[in-house]
Amino acid sequence: MLKWALIFAIVALVAGALGFGGIAGASAGIAKILFFLFVVGFLVFLVMGLVAGRKLTR
């Protein structure tokens, strides 16, 4: 998911540099959404890993 967020961010930068404002805005919005979904997923799995790690060591 982070890979796709980076791809959309690059597309937004290129489209913005070439003057395609609508495409740049849409790509930047998609990149933001994917990045925040990645961060939320990472935090959820981090907490799950910490909780599962504690149960295994007891």
Side-chain angles (χ1 to χ4, degrees), residues 41-58:
F42 173 76
L43 292 175
V44 167
F45 281 111
L46 180 67
V47 169
M48 287 173 48
L50 291 173
V51 170
R54 287 187 189 151
K55 288 181 181 177
L56 289 175
T57 58
R58 290 185 183 175

Side-chain angles (χ1 to χ4, degrees), residues 6-54:
L6 291 173
I7 289 171
F8 276 106
I10 291 170
V11 168
L13 288 173
V14 171
L18 295 176
F20 298 106
I23 296 172
S27 295
I30 293 171
K32 275 193 230 180
I33 291 169
L34 289 175
F35 177 74
F36 287 119
L37 285 175
F38 168 77
V39 170
V40 168
F42 173 76
L43 292 175
V44 167
F45 281 111
L46 180 67
V47 169
M48 287 173 48
L50 291 173
V51 170
R54 287 187 189 151

